[in-house]
Amino acid sequence: MIAISNVSVPENEFKERVERYLDVAEEKNLDALVVYSNYSSNGEIRYLAGYTYQPVWMCASTLILSRGSEPSLLTDRPWNLDKVREETWIKDVRACGGWLDRPGPPGTVMSLSRSTGSVLREKKLEKVNIGIVGFDIMPAMFYEHLKEEVPQAKFVDVTESFEKLKMVRSETEIQLIRNVAKIASIGMETGLKSVKEGKTEADIASATMDAMMANGAEVIFAIWVVSGEATQVQYRTPTYSNRKLQKGDMLWIDFGIIRQGYFGDISRTTIVGPSTEQQRKLCEVVFKSHQDAVKMIKPGAKIADVVKAARRVPHESGYKEYVMGDYLGHGIGVTLDDYPVIVPDEPTEIKANMVLNIDPKLFVPGVGGARLEDTYLVTPEGVEKLITCKQRWW
Amino acid sequence: MIAISNVSVPENEFKERVERYLDVAEEKNLDALVVYSNYSSNGEIRYLAGYTYQPVWMCASTLILSRGSEPSLLTDRPWNLDKVREETWIKDVRACGGWLDRPGPPGTVMSLSRSTGSVLREKKLEKVNIGIVGFDIMPAMFYEHLKEEVPQAKFVDVTESFEKLKMVRSETEIQLIRNVAKIASIGMETGLKSVKEGKTEADIASATMDAMMANGAEVIFAIWVVSGEATQVQYRTPTYSNRKLQKGDMLWIDFGIIRQGYFGDISRTTIVGPSTEQQRKLCEVVFKSHQDAVKMIKPGAKIADVVKAARRVPHESGYKEYVMGDYLGHGIGVTLDDYPVIVPDEPTEIKANMVLNIDPKLFVPGVGGARLEDTYLVTPEGVEKLITCKQRWW
């Protein structure tokens, strides 16, 4: 098992984060915040409360913040309440009934919503301005019931501006991201080394995942191992198959993992030899695009300029129409596709201690698909590559 | 690789499903339906449109149904539009901008919502009664924008009653569930056979997953391998760890997989010997509870009576307070926790061709946790067990 530093976010840091959120709430004339997270996107609750649940299937929670009271964390898992209390620094942790109140898939939604309303009333926040963080994932059913619970409250969607408060990472967070990047590196390296004619995509996926599980990945939430013609599509279902690798196949691996709530996300391309000149050229163009983008990253630089740099080589090499979308990458931390979003015209200024994923891709009909995604820490001078796995595998 | 029958839902069956939904809509005085699905819950779109996306990370779609027009399927993956068209029988498939319109996590939500509104206007459905299926997962942000798009439409949440239209499975669906149950069986068997003192929970998880990947599982969306004291909690994060198995540990495995959009979900308990009498008793009580529940299942029986039967032995054996919640199980098909919900007082009458998961669990402090989950097809006489893996592993 590889060495992973034993680190966790100290209570003080959580408290500072909550204070920062409340400061911004005050600036926006909000008296309280309702932060909603669920299994598919629990970054905000992890960031503020330290409570990390499985990013799979069911379970949601709300965190209620206001200047006049202790933070309250509501969970819909009454049967695991002790475990939740162990994980979080928050003192006031309560369980709503969840499926016990009203069974069936909407049961959790309804009872968490009702409990949230009742905490707002208890804290005398039923007639004030309340910012909602997580309006893009909070179910409409939840929101409609919440409004009925506290009909005189005025709710405002503040999701985007509050989620952006996480963009610059603390020293502890950077260490946690380093840890998960180490695990991702060893997984990718193991997977790529196992690529061989006659093996199936599922075999490669197994090798990759086994290495990460043995080395401390807590969740592998997706893995793509895609070979041959199928590489020409951005994503596909299923993410791996029992197709046997053939001579001359292009192949890419892309996966996402989590440890202690922090995300790893990388991809690499290889060729099951012998490769053609066209295939190698494709890989090289993606590689140069990646390198050119990374060279632009430093404190004070603009995201838009990073994207511009990444586009030059593909455009000049005749691949303009095969560049996949405008999305060159994203921040990464307690969520996968975090801010800043790396797209054209994005005015965000890069700052030290941001962590950025650069992910150029080209899908060329008749040739194949190539992608190269890596994670970088912004340093005072430029970047530090957090993934140790080499980039060229062709 | 095990033999899996090659079957897919014929176009006619999809059309019949849509007709049935429209009939029920008419009965409820609804002029149209907006069906919303996303990566975390895509059962409805899979059921009606045949489009199966990755149940991980991003991507959502809406299906717009009305008597006067062809069904329209909207996807937020413009870069994969051809692939979506290949998968679905629906003729009118359109991509909204997704992240291309407004990058950032809420981008998809906003642009899919806008496109849905614009299709409703195009079909002259902007002033009618519209039922929403998926109100428990549709983001509040989506709903608020949709209302702005068609302010004169009247929306009604009809999620639960429409989702219940899937409870009785067709012959094709039963075959698809048989397939996934076969894969789950071989995974569980392989995992349990690999249990041995000194191995880690991650080792067991790897063995289980490798077997399923090699045999055609398309997505393994979660796997729990939990040993020792940790078994006493319903769920835990991480779902497996690098803890080494020790003599006398209880251990349970629980996982969820998908093939062709259909779910498998089973769990088993074992003991890393030598076992104590207390541990074996615990396992036997769960086993008896399971058996007693299954004996009650047949067409015409009430769900409530199944739950009652499952409770008798645990209550009489002194385990009453350790029975985990009221949730004894669930239907299973294109969603994991599907209808009927198997809970006390549930009036639903069991019908032939329902597929039910029975899942009693006991978590006893100081002893351990035991669970036994299996999938059953309701036959005219009783049940057929779809999972071949044996139930007693202690």
Side-chain angles (χ1 to χ4, degrees):
Chain A
M1 196 175 159
I2 57 171
I4 293 286
S5 77
N6 187 8
V7 61
S8 60
V9 180
E11 188 169 323
N12 259 354
E13 190 171 324
F14 284 122
K15 286 184 174 164
E16 282 161 24
R17 293 174 186 176
V18 167
E19 278 307 307
R20 187 152 35 98
Y21 272 56
L22 286 172
D23 284 346
V24 176
E26 213 162 61
E27 282 165 28
K28 289 183 184 288
N29 201 25
L30 298 169
D31 306 290
L33 293 172
V34 169
V35 183
Y36 176 91
S37 289
N38 65 19
Y39 58 100
S40 70
S41 182
N42 79 12
E44 287 295 315
I45 296 280
R46 162 78 205 176
Y47 189 69
L48 298 167
Y51 167 43
T52 309
Y53 33 66
Q54 262 311 105
V56 282
W57 248 258
M58 297 299 158
C59 96
S61 49
T62 51
L63 181 66
I64 295 134
L65 303 176
S66 72
R67 277 277 184 241
S69 67
E70 283 288 302
S72 297
L73 178 63
L74 297 186
T75 157
D76 60 2
R77 322 216 92 186
W79 50 82
N80 271 11
L81 191 53
D82 292 344
K83 201 88 194 70
V84 179
R85 287 193 172 121
E86 262 173 47
E87 271 193 54
T88 182
W89 66 277
I90 307 268
K91 301 286 171 293
D92 181 25
V93 183
R94 313 182 194 188
C96 68
W99 290 36
L100 307 187
D101 280 358
R102 184 193 147 178
T108 298
V109 176
M110 310 267 280
S111 71
L112 185 60
S113 176
R114 271 199 211 103
S115 302
T116 303
S118 122
V119 170
L120 289 173
R121 286 195 304 273
E122 182 193 311
K123 292 181 185 247
K124 313 271 180 237
L125 297 169
E126 74 269 40
K127 296 178 188 171
V128 302
N129 294 331
I130 301 174
I132 295 182
V133 183
F135 204 61
D136 55 336
I137 52 164
M138 173 184 283
M141 188 183 275
F142 183 108
Y143 185 52
E144 292 301 304
H145 276 83
L146 183 60
K147 285 191 293 185
E148 280 173 24
E149 286 287 324
V150 284
Q152 293 179 278
K154 196 186 158 224
F155 291 103
V156 189
D157 168 20
V158 292
T159 304
E160 199 169 323
S161 51
F162 276 78
E163 287 187 350
K164 282 183 173 167
L165 297 176
K166 307 194 303 290
M167 282 196 292
V168 172
R169 319 288 165 178
S170 73
E171 288 306 317
T172 316
E173 287 190 285
I174 291 167
Q175 191 52 55
L176 288 161
I177 299 170
R178 273 184 203 285
N179 285 352
V180 76
K182 265 194 191 181
I183 299 167
S185 299
I186 200 145
M188 185 57 88
E189 213 164 299
T190 308
L192 287 165
K193 284 181 177 163
S194 77
V195 169
K196 210 180 142 178
E197 192 195 338
K199 286 203 182 181
T200 67
E201 292 171 358
D203 291 336
I204 312 304
S206 289
T208 308
M209 291 167 78
D210 289 356
M212 295 196 284
M213 294 169 91
N215 282 290
E218 292 179 346
V219 179
I220 299 170
F221 61 84
I223 179 159
W224 281 265
V225 177
V226 180
S227 66
E229 259 189 48
T231 59
Q232 294 166 33
V233 178
Q234 154 75 346
Y235 282 113
R236 122 188 131 163
T237 307
T239 59
Y240 52 83
S241 78
N242 284 300
R243 178 182 181 276
K244 284 188 180 168
L245 307 187
Q246 296 167 21
K247 274 196 184 104
D249 275 347
M250 295 200 71
L251 179 151
W252 51 259
I253 302 178
D254 183 21
F255 56 73
I257 62 170
I258 310 176
R259 184 184 162 90
Q260 290 180 272
Y262 283 79
F263 281 72
D265 175 24
I266 61 174
S267 61
R268 292 287 186 275
T269 303
T270 190
I271 306 162
V272 186
S275 58
T276 66
E277 202 181 315
Q278 246 186 336
Q279 289 173 328
R280 289 190 302 273
K281 185 189 162 194
L282 175 57
C283 292
E284 284 296 322
V285 169
V286 169
F287 176 73
K288 287 207 184 79
S289 168
H290 187 110
Q291 294 301 108
D292 289 348
V294 171
K295 271 181 212 147
M296 294 299 298
I297 303 175
K298 64 180 173 209
K302 290 272 185 300
I303 293 286
D305 293 330
V306 175
V307 180
K308 215 165 153 186
R311 297 304 179 227
R312 195 182 50 86
V313 171
H315 288 197
E316 288 175 5
S317 313
Y319 289 109
K320 189 171 176 179
E321 60 182 308
Y322 307 125
V323 172
M324 200 297 289
D326 279 343
Y327 192 57
L328 180 69
H330 50 85
I332 192 163
V334 284
T335 54
L336 178 73
D337 286 293
D338 206 347
Y339 293 102
V341 179
I342 304 179
V343 288
D345 309 323
E346 172 59 41
T348 301
E349 189 178 283
I350 294 171
K351 289 188 176 136
N353 291 345
M354 282 184 172
V355 180
L356 305 177
N357 260 34
I358 299 297
D359 180 23
K361 335 181 226 311
L362 284 176
F363 302 102
V364 184
V367 180
R371 51 204 315 163
L372 173 55
E373 180 171 21
D374 240 330
T375 304
Y376 298 92
L377 169 67
V378 183
T379 64
E381 294 79 34
V383 300
E384 181 190 337
K385 185 168 170 287
L386 297 186
I387 302 282
T388 55
C389 175
K390 69 169 180 169
Q391 297 188 324
R392 272 189 171 110
W393 287 83
W394 51 90
Chain B
M1 197 174 157
I2 57 173
I4 293 286
S5 76
N6 188 9
V7 61
S8 60
V9 179
E11 188 167 324
N12 258 355
E13 189 170 326
F14 284 122
K15 286 184 174 164
E16 282 162 24
R17 293 173 186 177
V18 167
E19 277 308 305
R20 185 152 37 96
Y21 272 57
L22 285 172
D23 285 346
V24 177
E26 212 160 63
E27 282 166 28
K28 290 182 183 288
N29 200 25
L30 297 169
D31 307 288
L33 292 172
V34 169
V35 183
Y36 176 90
S37 290
N38 65 18
Y39 58 101
S40 70
S41 183
N42 79 11
E44 286 296 316
I45 297 279
R46 162 79 206 174
Y47 189 70
L48 297 167
Y51 167 43
T52 309
Y53 32 67
Q54 262 311 106
V56 282
W57 248 258
M58 296 301 156
C59 96
S61 49
T62 51
L63 181 66
I64 295 135
L65 303 176
S66 71
R67 277 277 183 242
S69 68
E70 281 289 302
S72 297
L73 177 63
L74 296 186
T75 157
D76 61 2
R77 323 215 92 185
W79 50 82
N80 271 11
L81 191 54
D82 292 345
K83 201 88 194 67
V84 178
R85 286 194 173 121
E86 260 174 50
E87 271 193 54
T88 183
W89 66 277
I90 306 268
K91 301 286 172 295
D92 180 24
V93 183
R94 313 182 193 188
C96 68
W99 289 36
L100 308 186
D101 280 358
R102 184 192 148 179
T108 297
V109 176
M110 310 266 282
S111 70
L112 185 60
S113 176
R114 271 199 212 104
S115 303
T116 304
S118 120
V119 171
L120 289 174
R121 286 194 306 271
E122 181 192 312
K123 291 179 185 250
K124 312 271 179 237
L125 296 169
E126 74 269 40
K127 296 178 188 172
V128 302
N129 294 331
I130 301 173
I132 295 182
V133 184
F135 203 62
D136 55 337
I137 53 164
M138 173 183 283
M141 188 183 275
F142 183 107
Y143 185 52
E144 292 302 304
H145 276 84
L146 183 61
K147 285 191 293 184
E148 281 171 23
E149 286 288 324
V150 284
Q152 293 178 279
K154 198 188 156 222
F155 290 104
V156 189
D157 167 20
V158 292
T159 303
E160 199 169 323
S161 52
F162 277 77
E163 288 187 350
K164 282 182 174 168
L165 296 177
K166 307 194 304 290
M167 284 195 291
V168 173
R169 321 287 166 178
S170 73
E171 287 307 316
T172 316
E173 287 190 286
I174 290 167
Q175 191 52 55
L176 288 162
I177 299 172
R178 273 183 203 284
N179 285 352
V180 76
K182 264 194 191 181
I183 300 168
S185 299
I186 199 145
M188 186 57 89
E189 212 163 300
T190 309
L192 286 165
K193 283 181 177 163
S194 77
V195 169
K196 209 180 143 181
E197 191 195 341
K199 286 204 182 181
T200 66
E201 291 171 359
D203 291 337
I204 312 305
S206 289
T208 308
M209 291 166 78
D210 289 356
M212 294 196 284
M213 294 168 89
N215 283 291
E218 293 179 346
V219 178
I220 299 170
F221 61 84
I223 178 158
W224 281 266
V225 176
V226 180
S227 66
E229 260 190 45
T231 57
Q232 295 165 33
V233 177
Q234 154 76 346
Y235 281 112
R236 117 182 136 168
T237 307
T239 59
Y240 52 82
S241 77
N242 283 300
R243 178 183 181 277
K244 284 188 178 167
L245 306 186
Q246 295 167 22
K247 273 195 185 105
D249 275 347
M250 295 199 71
L251 178 151
W252 51 259
I253 301 178
D254 183 22
F255 55 74
I257 63 170
I258 309 176
R259 184 183 162 90
Q260 289 177 271
Y262 283 79
F263 281 71
D265 175 24
I266 62 173
S267 59
R268 292 288 185 273
T269 304
T270 190
I271 305 163
V272 186
S275 58
T276 66
E277 201 181 315
Q278 244 186 338
Q279 288 172 330
R280 290 191 302 273
K281 186 189 162 194
L282 175 58
C283 292
E284 284 297 324
V285 169
V286 170
F287 176 74
K288 287 207 185 80
S289 167
H290 186 111
Q291 294 301 106
D292 289 348
V294 171
K295 271 181 214 147
M296 294 298 297
I297 302 175
K298 63 179 173 206
K302 290 272 184 300
I303 293 285
D305 292 330
V306 175
V307 180
K308 215 165 153 184
R311 296 306 180 224
R312 194 182 52 82
V313 171
H315 288 197
E316 288 174 4
S317 313
Y319 289 108
K320 188 170 177 180
E321 60 182 307
Y322 308 126
V323 173
M324 201 297 290
D326 279 342
Y327 194 58
L328 180 70
H330 51 84
I332 192 163
V334 284
T335 54
L336 178 73
D337 286 294
D338 206 347
Y339 293 101
V341 179
I342 304 180
V343 288
D345 309 323
E346 172 60 41
T348 301
E349 189 178 282
I350 293 171
K351 291 189 175 137
N353 291 346
M354 282 185 173
V355 180
L356 305 177
N357 260 34
I358 299 297
D359 181 21
K361 332 180 227 313
L362 285 176
F363 301 102
V364 184
V367 180
R371 52 204 314 162
L372 173 56
E373 181 171 19
D374 240 331
T375 304
Y376 297 91
L377 169 67
V378 182
T379 64
E381 293 79 33
V383 299
E384 180 191 339
K385 186 168 169 289
L386 298 185
I387 301 283
T388 56
C389 174
K390 70 170 181 168
Q391 297 188 323
R392 271 190 172 110
W393 287 84
W394 51 89

